[in-house]
Amino acid sequence: MHSSHMHYTGRMSKKLTHTNDAGAIQMVDVADKSETDRVAVAEAQIQMTSETLSLIRANKLKKGDVLSTARLAGIQAAKQTGLLIPLCHPLALNAIDVDCVLDETIPGVQVTTRVRCHGRTGVEMEALTAASVAALTIYDMAKAVDKGIRIEVQNVHLHGHGVVVAAFDATEGFARVAQHALHGHCAL
């Protein structure tokens, strides 16, 4: 994961989409939007001691196979995002990939999620939810042996409408979104 912070370089809308003119919350009406292929990629990094990482690698934690369980949890979470996040649309997802890689340089686990659908709204919340829940699952399974585990979720890359990529950075308690115009395809 990149430790640098994104700086907003796009244009802001003057109106929040999840509130009506009176300021009350609302679900965005996407009925008039075109259906397009939508892809989002999110990352989570779980930092732990080298000893904990070795236990995960050797599959020696009492709760079982950490990485397989985290992958399954991430997939399940992406499918449930519309129930977990109040104003998210329930989506028919075409593909959900959750990759968990042990990384000695962290030391810890790098989680990368990729969610895809053909629809009227993006899948960034599904990718973020999958990455977050996979990371929380790793934490849950390893917390008995390591009380200092740290989770960081960031880097959402969107591809939809063929022209826009956004990056989400949620480090040190803040979130910013940066949008960049693409020339061709998004490198996912």
Side-chain angles (χ1 to χ4, degrees):
M1 255 196 272
H2 306 292
S3 60
S4 65
H5 302 293
M6 300 296 296
H7 296 284
Y8 184 76
T9 58
R11 289 175 287 190
M12 276 186 65
S13 171
K14 295 196 190 260
K15 183 176 185 238
L16 295 173
T17 58
H18 286 83
T19 58
N20 64 20
D21 292 336
I25 60 169
Q26 68 178 6
M27 185 177 230
V28 175
D29 184 353
V30 297
D32 293 333
K33 289 177 118 183
S34 299
E35 287 194 5
T36 61
D37 285 327
R38 313 248 182 178
V39 177
V41 177
E43 296 176 350
Q45 188 177 86
I46 305 88
Q47 298 171 332
M48 59 191 63
T49 65
S50 295
E51 295 79 14
T52 303
L53 183 59
S54 294
L55 289 170
I56 292 172
R57 184 182 309 282
N59 199 19
K60 299 239 181 196
L61 289 178
K62 289 184 179 182
K63 288 192 174 186
D65 183 348
V66 173
L67 300 183
S68 293
T69 306
R71 284 183 193 104
L72 185 57
I75 291 167
Q76 285 295 102
K79 294 183 339 183
Q80 298 301 317
T81 302
L83 295 174
L84 296 170
I85 310 295
L87 300 178
C88 282
H89 293 83
L91 301 176
L93 303 177
N94 294 357
I96 305 164
D97 296 315
V98 178
D99 189 28
C100 300
V101 176
L102 301 176
D103 187 338
E104 297 289 341
T105 63
I106 297 172
V109 182
Q110 181 72 38
V111 174
T112 304
T113 61
R114 183 178 186 273
V115 179
R116 188 171 162 251
C117 82
H118 187 80
R120 291 184 167 99
T121 188
V123 289
E124 69 276 12
M125 294 307 296
E126 287 73 11
L128 281 165
T129 301
S132 298
V133 170
L136 287 168
T137 299
I138 293 167
Y139 170 83
D140 178 58
M141 295 183 77
K143 68 184 179 199
V145 298
D146 190 343
K147 303 296 185 199
I149 294 172
R150 182 170 180 235
I151 296 170
E152 186 175 318
V153 179
Q154 65 181 4
N155 295 337
V156 171
H157 304 282
L158 305 176
H159 182 62
H161 302 293
V163 295
V164 176
V165 168
F168 172 84
D169 183 355
T171 56
E172 299 177 21
F174 66 91
R176 290 185 283 188
V177 176
Q179 295 186 348
H180 307 278
L182 288 181
H183 303 288
H185 299 286
C186 176
L188 296 175

